Amino acid sequence: MTVFHFFNCAILTFGPHAVYYSATPLSEYDTLGTSVKAALVYLGTALVKLVCLATFLKVSETDNFDPYQELLKALIGFIDVAGLYFALTQLTHRNISQNHKFQAVGLGWAFADSVLHRLAPLWVGARGLEFTWDYLLQGLEANANLVLSISLAALGSLMWLRKNKPKTLIPIIYACAGIVATMPSITSCVKNSTCQYPYYSDIWPLQLFEAGIGMAISKGGRL
Amino acid sequence: MAHRKARERDMLDSVYSMLALVFILVACVELCDAATVVDVYRLIQYDISGVPFGSRLASLNHHAGSLHFSPGADLSRTVVMIPVRELNISFVTEYVSRKHPLGGMLFLLPEIFRLENGGGGKDVREKEVVKNVLLELEKLLVHAKLPYPVYFAFENDEIDAVLDDVKKNDATGQPATATTGGYKLVIPIAEPKKVASPTITNIQGWLQGLKADGDANQLPTIAIVASYDTFGAAPALSVGSDSNGSGVVALLEVARLFSLLYSNPKTRGRYNILFGLTSGGPYNYNGTHKWLRSFDQRLRESIDYAICLNSVGSWNNELWIHVSKPPENAYIKQIFEGFTNVAEELGFKVGLKHKKINISNPRVAWEHEQFSRLRVTAATLSELSAAPELLESTGGLHFVDETSFIRSVQLVAESLARHIYGYQGKNIQIFADNSSLAVNPSYIRSWLDLLSQTPRVAPFISKNDPFIMALKKELADHTDEVIMQHEVLDGMFTFYDSTKASLNIYQVASVTFDLLLLLVLGSYLIVLFSFLVITTRGLDDLISLFRRPPSRKVEVSQEKLANDNYECVMV
């Protein structure tokens, strides 16, 4: 029964990625290679971020909100953006259209993020007899993260791959990209200011909302 | 080509073995993530001549239930959590006597009975009510055969919260099973095994009397004996501070006082004093029996009389002397008169009770009967007026009252001293208060404290248990020639181990919840799939996904037609 629960949480966490791949034309154009490469780039980015965080961040004993530390964390978050840039522009992809390229990269990115951050806690925790809501909330967070990654990749491809951009939308695109890139910092700010959330992953509606805005802008930009 | 294929196969093999190793490692992670972990103590499990008693199982893995279950509910896979404060003893009696199937019982004892809180007179009235219930419960459980695990635990905040939740669930009429969620109690412990050779250890010490020069005869001996082990429903909790902790401490204090007297040759009496701390008390005084049998005949004959101490700590104004020889016997008269005189001076009564021994009956009710069977004059001094039944719980809940206990010690010491020094009938107080030979209250208090926190059920104490070593050392401080005798408990009694365990309480979701969740997630994924197909490929594609088989048949038939036409043309 508890393996049942683990199975449920696993399909909630990783199912949408598989569904996204098979439902959209990505499967027809065989873009699996691109996704795998994007996942590997994410792995490298995560390692670099880890090293930077360990080097530059101080471990604070108190739980107070330190603006400088948060600023530093946001800056390190831009390494994420750099990694995405690398995945979108520098990797050699087969002849797939831009439309599909950013989707495949975003998908690979989100899948690697889910596996690295959520698989181990799921395996260790969800199989026990004790029932908690944590793992289901984690799965919902993985879903939101998928939308976030794809919208970030979309904005990235708008910024770096499209040569002819409509002039009016350029500042909005860059602003949205900035917001979406620093999403983790924003969520921790909100968490600190409104301390009544018992589960930290209650932030996922907020994430979805922001990601949705980014997605809409990118869709509008492609039209 | 073959070389490369072989290499590929090797690589695949190594990858598979790596994966297998990773999976094994990960699966070995300890899943100890329970909501609560509580120490629990198991009901005793024993056989008398092969007849089983007590709780016969140890491991537990069932749902929790409370006493508010609906009548007629099936409890064979439920552990009933019963707080002793609200215990209705008739429920337990009914369940035990009618042998209803039950998953297990968990009794919750009030916090004040915890061993660390010690004896103490706090909240005595509250303790009184619960004490009586506990005594009845113990008597019932110890003499019944229960084919399910029975455990005792102390109440604390977490387990109280769990119990409240369980009561609420039960009140809605839903018994907790696999399909309705609730709490699961798990005790992962091996099957209980017989204790291989339960040892009982007797400790003896001598105070040598003063031999007159030129006197070749052996000096007469007076023996003081007390049994130090206990028996109770939960062996890990059986501390017996009155029975027989009071006897042990009285013996130690008398030993201390007489060692002060005997250290100086001018005040040494003409009697040897033999102190004996025996084990095996609840089991027909088996230890005393083996101890006496180890004496040689001459020594046994030289014992003038023996005084056995049994529960002398919590009486009001009357003590009893139990004898097996008829009261008209000269020796008995002498002993009794000596005790009565001292008791009168100290302000209380001493009564005499006579109980004949039946040699054919193996049941030994008092310790002095073991002496009498070997024709040694003996008596037992006790606050109990009637002998306890076999394996009746040795009242570990009675707390010792210091003033009456001190009076008991004074009684024993004075009577002995007057007999030894020949001052019978004279009004001389040897162990007067505020003298250097007064009874020492702090000594008594510290030993009583220790005894009220040490569970001492004999089969579960090893030969070199620290408590036995402490007794030996203390006796050695006061007496000479301290000898420990290790014996094996009478084969009539068999005990089983696993007396202590830790209980994990998990909050579990029901199977229906998991199935519902699977349904919800499945529909979510299907909706997501359709949404994505519609937005990226169009609605036609979604419909075409379901219409492919018939379209392929149409295609095939069209192709066949075309081929036939072609053949016709060819021909």
Side-chain angles (χ1 to χ4, degrees):
Chain A
M1 198 203 312
T2 54
V3 182
F4 201 164
H5 186 62
F6 165 75
F7 176 72
N8 280 344
C9 295
I11 62 176
L12 178 61
T13 315
F14 302 111
H17 301 89
V19 163
Y20 192 90
Y21 185 80
S22 55
T24 57
L26 287 180
S27 53
E28 285 175 21
Y29 292 101
D30 194 18
T31 50
L32 194 62
T34 316
S35 295
V36 170
K37 285 186 207 162
L40 291 173
V41 173
Y42 178 85
L43 190 66
T45 314
L47 284 170
V48 172
K49 266 197 346 186
L50 204 68
V51 170
C52 285
L53 279 172
T55 319
F56 295 118
L57 234 54
K58 292 178 292 218
V59 177
S60 64
E61 281 90 30
T62 57
D63 235 355
N64 294 333
F65 178 71
D66 187 359
Y68 297 109
Q69 298 289 324
E70 297 301 321
L71 198 64
L72 214 56
K73 281 189 202 165
L75 284 176
I76 291 180
F78 276 105
I79 296 179
D80 251 338
V81 180
L84 212 53
Y85 172 81
F86 180 79
L88 277 171
T89 56
Q90 306 293 23
L91 289 178
T92 55
H93 303 293
R94 293 201 319 215
N95 283 338
I96 45 179
S97 71
Q98 225 182 58
N99 208 357
H100 296 141
K101 195 195 292 189
F102 82 79
Q103 284 185 350
V105 168
L107 188 65
W109 196 266
F111 186 72
D113 180 87
S114 282
V115 166
L116 282 179
H117 287 270
R118 291 176 195 100
L119 182 63
L122 202 61
W123 178 258
V124 172
R127 279 185 316 145
L129 273 178
E130 181 81 14
F131 174 77
T132 49
W133 289 102
D134 290 347
Y135 300 107
L136 289 171
L137 289 172
Q138 208 181 52
L140 291 172
E141 205 198 331
N143 276 295
N145 190 269
L146 174 65
V147 180
L148 189 74
S149 301
I150 292 187
S151 63
L152 193 60
L155 287 170
S157 84
L158 266 185
M159 288 196 289
W160 303 307
L161 294 180
R162 271 276 280 269
K163 304 305 173 197
N164 50 339
K165 294 191 274 255
K167 296 285 188 210
T168 43
L169 280 179
I170 292 181
I172 303 179
I173 291 174
Y174 281 105
C176 278
I179 291 173
V180 174
T182 54
M183 187 54 73
S185 303
I186 295 176
T187 52
S188 66
C189 280
V190 174
K191 190 181 18 140
N192 272 320
S193 52
T194 64
C195 291
Q196 56 260 46
Y197 284 115
Y199 302 107
Y200 78 100
S201 40
D202 259 353
I203 304 294
W204 62 265
L206 199 68
Q207 284 179 317
L208 260 179
F209 178 65
E210 295 282 359
I213 291 186
M215 192 71 127
I217 301 271
S218 62
K219 270 272 197 277
R222 267 188 287 124
L223 278 173
Chain B
M1 181 72 168
H3 188 60
R4 225 185 60 190
K5 273 220 159 134
R7 241 194 305 151
E8 269 182 35
R9 230 180 302 133
D10 281 338
M11 222 180 63
L12 270 175
D13 280 337
S14 57
V15 165
Y16 282 142
S17 49
M18 270 291 295
L19 272 176
L21 184 66
V22 165
F23 268 115
I24 291 173
L25 277 177
V26 171
C28 288
V29 169
E30 267 292 314
L31 306 171
C32 51
D33 54 356
T36 319
V37 180
V38 181
D39 277 332
V40 291
Y41 311 95
R42 196 167 78 101
L43 182 67
I44 197 168
Q45 179 183 359
Y46 64 101
D47 300 338
I48 301 184
S49 312
V51 180
F53 290 99
S55 153
R56 309 306 295 178
L57 290 178
S59 68
L60 193 64
N61 191 347
H62 288 307
H63 285 264
S66 72
L67 284 175
H68 300 286
F69 58 87
S70 42
D74 176 26
L75 292 176
S76 58
R77 304 199 118 257
T78 316
V79 176
V80 186
M81 293 172 67
I82 304 175
V84 171
R85 251 190 264 260
E86 313 163 1
L87 176 60
N88 180 0
I89 197 103
S90 54
F91 163 76
V92 182
T93 325
E94 185 199 320
Y95 254 77
V96 166
S97 59
R98 299 239 193 107
K99 300 195 199 310
H100 285 195
L102 201 62
M105 279 198 212
L106 178 68
F107 289 99
L108 298 173
L109 304 168
E111 183 97 23
I112 40 176
F113 284 111
R114 250 188 217 275
L115 293 187
E116 299 84 63
N117 295 346
K122 320 171 210 163
D123 313 315
V124 177
R125 231 176 312 133
E126 196 186 324
K127 277 184 189 167
E128 277 298 325
V129 176
V130 186
K131 245 198 298 178
N132 294 333
V133 174
L134 269 178
L135 282 174
E136 255 197 80
L137 182 70
E138 237 178 332
K139 200 159 47 164
L140 172 67
L141 290 176
V142 163
H143 294 288
K145 175 181 170 210
L146 306 164
Y148 41 79
V150 179
Y151 281 92
F152 296 89
F154 288 105
E155 287 177 355
N156 62 15
D157 293 328
E158 298 160 324
I159 217 174
D160 280 339
V162 169
L163 185 62
D164 286 334
D165 249 342
V166 172
K167 280 191 193 163
K168 250 189 287 181
N169 282 343
D170 274 351
T172 63
Q174 271 183 333
T177 55
T179 50
T180 51
Y183 287 92
K184 205 156 201 223
L185 304 179
V186 179
I187 301 181
I189 197 176
E191 273 312 299
K193 291 188 288 292
K194 288 191 193 179
V195 174
S197 320
T199 42
I200 45 178
T201 308
N202 301 316
I203 312 174
Q204 74 182 39
W206 283 95
L207 274 178
Q208 298 288 353
L210 191 65
K211 250 194 182 159
D213 295 330
D215 189 2
N217 297 334
Q218 203 171 22
L219 283 177
T221 309
I222 300 181
I224 306 182
V225 190
S227 80
Y228 66 83
D229 69 329
T230 58
F231 181 83
L237 295 176
S238 302
V239 287
S241 48
D242 186 23
S243 144
N244 192 14
S246 54
V248 173
V249 180
L251 186 146
L252 287 177
E253 179 64 6
V254 169
R256 187 186 71 87
L257 291 171
F258 274 94
S259 78
L260 285 174
L261 277 175
Y262 271 48
S263 55
N264 187 344
K266 293 203 202 133
T267 51
R268 205 175 287 171
R270 304 226 172 195
Y271 283 81
N272 294 329
I273 312 186
L274 170 63
F275 296 94
L277 286 166
T278 58
S279 178
Y283 322 112
N284 289 331
Y285 295 101
N286 198 248
T288 320
H289 171 78
K290 297 203 155 98
W291 183 52
L292 287 176
R293 289 229 179 262
S294 73
F295 289 171
D296 78 33
Q297 181 73 359
R298 264 199 325 155
L299 173 57
R300 241 182 282 153
E301 281 171 4
S302 77
I303 298 182
D304 243 15
Y305 66 91
I307 301 280
C308 309
L309 301 169
N310 186 344
S311 314
V312 293
S314 67
W315 49 277
N316 276 327
N317 46 18
E318 188 165 16
L319 276 178
W320 298 95
I321 297 191
H322 301 265
V323 290
S324 44
K325 289 204 177 154
E328 296 77 41
N329 185 299
Y331 296 117
I332 303 289
K333 264 198 186 164
Q334 201 183 39
I335 299 170
F336 185 59
E337 266 175 33
F339 274 92
T340 323
N341 289 338
V342 180
E344 266 174 29
E345 289 165 28
L346 290 173
F348 57 90
K349 265 197 352 157
V350 174
L352 186 66
K353 280 218 165 212
H354 172 231
K355 180 177 178 298
K356 279 203 207 158
I357 309 178
N358 185 353
I359 305 263
S360 50
N361 185 358
R363 168 76 186 128
V364 177
W366 294 108
E367 195 160 10
H368 69 266
E369 292 184 15
Q370 293 285 17
F371 286 87
S372 305
R373 281 169 194 240
L374 295 171
R375 296 194 196 86
V376 178
T377 313
T380 303
L381 180 69
S382 173
E383 71 201 8
L384 306 166
S385 55
E389 301 294 325
L390 175 65
L391 295 180
E392 183 176 319
S393 168
T394 51
L397 299 164
H398 293 293
F399 300 112
V400 173
D401 171 30
E402 212 177 275
T403 31
S404 48
F405 181 69
I406 292 182
R407 283 196 296 177
S408 323
V409 177
Q410 281 174 333
L411 172 69
V412 176
E414 284 284 351
S415 338
L416 271 182
R418 289 193 194 179
H419 182 94
I420 291 175
Y421 298 108
Y423 291 133
Q424 279 105 326
K426 299 196 190 145
N427 191 347
I428 297 185
Q429 269 206 332
I430 302 178
F431 302 101
D433 293 332
N434 302 321
S435 71
S436 62
L437 288 173
V439 173
N440 187 345
S442 43
Y443 182 80
I444 290 177
R445 225 173 284 145
S446 64
W447 272 97
L448 279 174
D449 263 346
L450 172 67
L451 281 164
S452 65
Q453 292 178 27
T454 318
R456 323 186 277 282
V457 181
F460 303 109
I461 311 182
S462 67
K463 268 198 274 196
N464 307 316
D465 192 79
F467 178 71
I468 297 185
M469 290 296 142
L471 279 181
K472 177 185 177 206
K473 183 176 172 301
E474 192 61 23
L475 208 58
D477 273 351
H478 304 311
T479 59
D480 317 311
E481 293 176 41
V482 173
I483 302 176
M484 288 214 300
Q485 182 199 18
H486 303 290
E487 295 283 344
V488 176
L489 185 60
D490 184 13
M492 192 167 91
F493 297 92
T494 323
F495 289 89
Y496 294 78
D497 62 4
S498 308
T499 54
K500 200 171 155 180
S502 54
L503 169 72
N504 298 310
I505 306 183
Y506 298 102
Q507 186 169 21
V508 289
S510 53
V511 170
T512 44
F513 172 79
D514 280 330
L515 285 171
L516 210 65
L517 192 64
L518 184 65
L519 214 64
V520 166
L521 288 176
S523 48
Y524 164 69
L525 285 176
I526 289 173
V527 165
L528 185 69
F529 184 82
S530 340
F531 172 74
L532 286 171
V533 168
I534 291 176
T535 49
T536 54
R537 290 194 255 183
L539 189 59
D540 300 329
D541 263 341
L542 180 66
I543 295 174
S544 72
L545 273 176
F546 297 106
R547 272 230 216 118
R548 214 176 283 152
S551 56
R552 204 185 296 153
K553 244 194 265 174
V554 169
E555 272 183 45
V556 164
S557 58
Q558 274 186 355
E559 234 184 274
K560 214 166 147 310
L561 223 69
N563 273 347
D564 287 342
N565 284 342
Y566 186 62
E567 277 176 27
C568 290
V569 165
M570 283 297 287
V571 164

